[in-house]
Amino acid sequence: MNKKIRQKMAKDYLISHKYIAAKKYLKSLNLYEEEEDRLYLGIDVSAFYLSCEAIDHGENPLQTLGIVLSGTLIMSTSKFAKLKYGFSNVMRIRPEDVPKDVIVYPARMGFYALRSLQVYDWFCRRIPPKYIHVYSRDEMIIDITTVWKGRSESPAAFAMKLQEDIRKDLGFYMSAGIGPNFFLAKVAMDIEAKKHLYDKRHLFAQWTYDDVFDKLWNTELIEVWNIGASSVRTLNELGYYSLADIALGDPELLRKKMGMRGLQIYMRAWGLDHTRVEQRGEYQPKSVSIGHGMTLPRAFTLTDNIINEFKGLSDACALDLLKINKQAACISIYVGYEKNSYENNTHENSRGFIAQTKIVPTNRLDELHEAVEYLFNKKYNYLTAPPIRRLGVHVSKLQEDRGSQTSLFEDPEISRKRQEMYKAYFDTTQIYGKGAVYLGYALSAGSQYLHRTTLIGGHPK
């Protein structure tokens, strides 16, 4: 055993014993005695899309061997498909390569949206909606403090009763986590309850503040809710490799390097979160933006009319602006290159680029078209840039719609007629859907516009 290995082992030993001593000391201080006494319940429908399909086909979601497939993307997979073939969500596989004994369910996003509403409605009949925060299509965080008080059963028994009742009524199996605040309920569900799916225990976990030291601090950073790969890299660069490191580290350093985000991570390393579900509507963001993006079905090159795809995305932004009676004074585009082109690429922006410009406040389709085309042509190098795979358009600096600004370069009558045409276009799409009427560019060769009108979130309805 060389010297470096011995030194590392000695260092790891000292660190582990430092944390053991720290945990013991910190528990003795009753650090959380002034924290508000509340109960939060995190719930998540296990393999939601797969469960919707299995139930609809008369199968048990936990016993079927199946996947939900959108093109070549696995959107949801059953427990047995994960264990037997190593399938995982957002994994790519060609339909012809799926093993014969695996049931393939084509994705149906409209159906899943309907089932999600049924789950929400089921909870709203038992818990006041003001205490329910819908985190995603298959996940909610619920403040059960008021609902549970006065009951003879324990919080755990209350949660398990909800799990059993929804399984009987709707067929779904739910993971559930209880904690004294929003964050701990969420991580109790993510880190512990969901993993019980594979060891035949009840899909439930309850954490207290004592579990901050015993469980949360022992969790890999990447597994903790709301800490992504980029944040992990930044934390590692600062010398933090666990939540214990962060909790016993320097909050001012985190603030300097990561801003308020760093302080939020520091608070969560201590298991602290003062979020109140019923107050979620009170927050007013300083700025609001509207954006749409897409992943192209293949890499687009010089022979493809990429501008038309940008026009489609800017149209979606314009319709959203018209819906809320707003105009945008700033527009930006995002371009992401084909992943395979990253390697051995000497282009100055090898992964893609973002470009932004101020514009005269508008929600007119033609003016947004001109802006995105200007930004793309200004930034994209047609000679050396790699093929394109991802696009995005965002509009920001929103303000009330005050009508079009008179231009010296456009006939007022033509401008008025354009506005009337765009309003008719908007009204028609609101009544009959986005595919009911469209501009001419949507019929150009290779355009994805009409295909995208048949999708929800980029997947079949």
Side-chain angles (χ1 to χ4, degrees):
M1 186 182 298
N2 64 40
K3 184 178 179 181
K4 285 187 177 180
I5 294 177
R6 288 200 306 272
Q7 288 176 338
K8 185 179 185 306
M9 291 178 65
K11 182 180 178 182
D12 291 344
Y13 176 83
L14 290 172
I15 289 174
S16 65
H17 277 66
K18 180 185 79 171
Y19 286 154
I20 291 171
K23 289 177 185 179
K24 187 175 181 180
Y25 173 67
L26 290 168
K27 283 184 179 182
S28 70
L29 295 179
N30 295 322
L31 296 172
Y32 301 100
E33 60 183 358
E34 294 184 5
E35 289 298 308
E36 193 173 6
D37 186 21
R38 303 195 70 81
L39 281 174
Y40 283 80
L41 170 67
I43 66 104
D44 177 271
V45 178
S46 300
F48 178 63
Y49 297 151
L50 187 282
S51 293
C52 290
E53 295 292 352
I55 294 166
D56 193 49
H57 288 80
E59 301 283 341
N60 185 312
L62 296 188
Q63 296 178 359
T64 187
L65 181 66
I67 59 173
V68 173
L69 201 61
S70 173
T72 61
L73 180 72
I74 296 179
M75 297 187 62
S76 186
T77 177
S78 69
K79 176 180 74 171
F80 288 118
K82 285 182 181 179
L83 294 175
K84 186 172 182 179
Y85 294 110
F87 291 155
S88 62
N89 295 346
V90 303
M91 174 181 168
R92 293 279 180 182
I93 187 171
R94 294 183 301 177
E96 59 268 27
D97 293 335
V98 178
K100 300 296 184 184
D101 59 338
V102 175
I103 303 172
V104 177
Y105 301 107
R108 298 185 290 166
M109 300 306 293
F111 175 58
Y112 306 148
L114 177 63
R115 291 293 273 162
S116 178
L117 288 173
Q118 290 174 345
V119 172
Y120 176 68
D121 181 65
W122 188 92
F123 276 98
C124 285
R125 292 198 301 270
R126 291 155 178 81
I127 297 167
K130 69 177 182 179
Y131 295 125
I132 302 174
H133 173 69
V134 179
Y135 182 71
S136 66
R137 186 161 285 175
D138 61 344
E139 192 171 333
M140 301 175 195
I141 307 291
I142 306 170
D143 185 342
I144 61 171
T145 308
T146 304
V147 178
W148 173 74
K149 276 184 178 176
R151 292 175 178 265
S152 58
E153 59 191 347
S154 67
F158 173 69
M160 291 180 186
K161 180 70 164 56
L162 288 175
Q163 287 178 296
E164 184 63 22
D165 288 347
I166 197 171
R167 188 189 63 78
K168 290 178 180 177
D169 295 345
L170 299 181
F172 291 115
Y173 288 85
M174 292 192 321
S175 299
I178 286 181
N181 60 43
F182 191 108
F183 173 68
L184 287 179
K186 168 72 173 157
V187 294
M189 175 182 67
D190 287 344
I191 294 171
E192 186 172 348
K194 287 182 180 180
K195 294 180 180 178
H196 292 176
L197 184 67
Y198 299 96
D199 56 21
K200 298 183 179 180
R201 286 185 286 171
H202 201 88
L203 302 176
F204 173 80
Q206 181 171 358
W207 283 18
T208 66
Y209 285 116
D210 281 345
D211 293 305
V212 169
F213 312 116
D214 297 328
K215 295 179 180 179
L216 186 63
W217 281 13
N218 292 326
T219 303
E220 294 284 338
L221 285 176
I222 196 64
E223 293 184 21
V224 179
W225 171 57
N226 219 17
I227 299 182
S230 177
S231 295
V232 170
R233 284 194 298 270
T234 302
L235 292 167
N236 289 168
E237 289 169 3
L238 297 175
Y240 299 135
Y241 297 91
S242 69
L243 286 175
D245 289 337
I246 296 168
L248 301 177
D250 181 4
E252 186 60 23
L253 175 62
L254 288 167
R255 187 193 66 78
K256 286 181 179 179
K257 294 292 184 180
M258 303 178 72
M260 292 302 296
R261 173 87 178 120
L263 291 180
Q264 181 190 56
I265 293 174
Y266 177 78
M267 293 290 286
R268 287 181 173 174
W270 284 102
L272 297 174
D273 186 351
H274 297 149
T275 302
R276 292 284 292 273
V277 169
E278 65 270 28
Q279 295 174 345
R280 65 191 184 279
E282 297 177 7
Y283 171 71
Q284 296 296 326
K286 291 183 179 180
S287 62
V288 178
S289 65
I290 291 172
H292 289 271
M294 66 181 295
T295 298
L296 297 166
R298 56 177 174 78
F300 271 43
T301 61
L302 293 176
T303 59
D304 300 295
N305 196 339
I306 198 72
I307 295 297
N308 283 341
E309 304 310 322
F310 273 115
K311 287 180 178 179
L313 295 175
S314 62
D315 281 1
C317 291
L319 292 175
D320 287 343
L321 288 169
L322 288 166
K323 189 182 298 184
I324 60 175
N325 197 37
K326 297 284 186 181
Q327 293 179 325
C330 184
I331 187 167
S332 64
I333 65 170
Y334 162 73
V335 170
Y337 296 136
E338 173 73 355
K339 189 174 182 179
N340 293 338
S341 67
Y342 291 172
E343 298 178 4
N344 303 321
N345 193 296
T346 58
H347 191 264
E348 58 179 343
N349 299 305
S350 61
R351 292 180 178 270
F353 64 84
I354 295 174
Q356 176 178 291
T357 186
K358 292 180 180 179
I359 55 176
V360 175
T362 185
N363 52 25
R364 278 178 45 169
L365 276 68
D366 59 329
E367 292 177 348
L368 295 179
H369 288 178
E370 289 177 9
V372 296
E373 186 168 0
Y374 162 76
L375 285 173
F376 181 74
N377 289 332
K378 179 183 178 182
K379 192 77 174 179
Y380 186 70
N381 189 324
Y382 284 89
L383 296 177
T384 63
I388 296 172
R389 195 61 189 271
R390 292 173 300 283
L391 307 174
V393 174
H394 275 77
V395 291
S396 56
K397 296 186 178 179
L398 307 189
Q399 53 188 259
E400 293 301 317
D401 187 351
R402 297 184 177 89
S404 294
Q405 193 169 352
T406 304
S407 171
L408 296 174
F409 305 101
E410 185 176 36
D411 187 317
E413 183 62 18
I414 293 176
S415 178
R416 183 185 64 80
K417 288 183 177 180
R418 281 184 185 275
Q419 283 293 94
E420 290 178 354
M421 180 185 72
Y422 295 143
K423 186 178 185 307
Y425 175 64
F426 169 74
D427 291 341
T428 305
T429 59
Q430 294 304 294
I431 298 171
Y432 300 106
K434 292 181 179 179
V437 61
Y438 41 85
L439 302 184
Y441 72 83
L443 297 177
S444 62
S447 174
Q448 299 297 305
Y449 182 84
L450 292 180
H451 174 63
R452 285 193 297 110
T453 63
T454 67
L455 307 177
I456 296 178
H459 302 286
K461 293 181 180 180

